[in-house]
């Protein structure tokens, strides 16, 4: 009886480790608002919450655009705002790649975020 219980425990542990080992090979799924072209950062001030600065970066950590928004409070916890920021980032990156002027990038970004 002792030998059977030891064999059962050993086979159970072996199966458990075997199963855990294969489940680790899956790639993590990124969030739908995460862009593969770059990332954005929203800087706000606690004393003045209606003035915010949005910065767009490429994956190489190159600042491509800075946008100051006044009179608007961006709630970055909401999915809709994150998707708008992703869309604005991708528009800014594509315009930056086409060597467009910052004024043109600003027009697109403001339209998307409002």
């Amino acid at each position: 009886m002792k030998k059977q219980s030891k064999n059962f425990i050993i086979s159970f542990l072996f199966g458990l480790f075997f199963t855990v080992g294969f489940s680790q090979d899956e790639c993590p799924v990124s969030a739908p608002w995460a862009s593969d072209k770059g990332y954005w950062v929203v800087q706000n001030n606690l004393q003045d919450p209606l003035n915010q600065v949005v910065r767009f970066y490429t994956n190489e950590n190159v600042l491509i655009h800075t946008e100051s928004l006044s009179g608007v409070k961006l709630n970055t916890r909401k999915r809709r705002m994150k998707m708008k920021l992703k869309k604005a980032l991708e528009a800014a990156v594509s315009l930056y790649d086409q060597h467009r002027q910052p004024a043109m990038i600003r027009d697109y970004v403001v339209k998307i975020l409002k």
Side-chain angles (χ1 to χ4, degrees):
M1 172 113 168
K2 278 187 167 181
K3 191 170 187 173
Q4 287 179 342
S5 62
K6 284 183 183 179
N7 286 339
F8 177 73
I9 291 172
I10 289 172
S11 62
F12 176 75
L13 290 176
F14 179 73
L16 181 68
F17 289 129
F18 187 70
T19 304
V20 171
F22 276 112
S23 67
Q24 297 298 321
D25 290 339
E26 297 176 11
C27 296
V29 178
S30 64
W33 53 81
S35 177
D36 57 345
K37 296 181 180 182
Y39 60 96
W40 48 265
V41 176
V42 177
Q43 177 185 357
N44 54 11
N45 188 353
L46 293 176
Q47 281 74 30
D48 193 10
L50 294 179
N51 290 331
Q52 297 181 347
V53 177
V54 181
R55 291 187 173 91
F56 298 106
Y57 295 90
T58 63
N59 285 332
E60 292 80 30
N61 301 326
V62 176
L63 177 66
I64 58 170
H65 185 64
T66 301
E67 187 70 43
S68 297
L69 301 171
S70 59
V72 178
K73 184 174 180 185
L74 301 177
N75 190 354
T76 56
R77 294 184 203 141
K78 292 194 174 189
R79 178 186 171 98
R80 177 181 282 168
M81 183 52 65
K82 290 178 186 178
M83 295 303 285
K84 284 183 180 182
L85 286 167
K86 176 185 176 183
K87 187 175 179 182
L89 168 71
E90 290 175 351
V93 169
S94 66
L95 290 173
Y96 179 77
D97 289 340
Q98 296 173 4
H99 303 292
R100 298 285 176 105
Q101 296 176 356
M104 295 182 76
I105 296 174
R106 183 184 192 293
D107 292 339
Y108 284 117
V109 170
V110 169
K111 285 179 188 176
I112 292 171
L113 292 179
K114 290 197 177 189

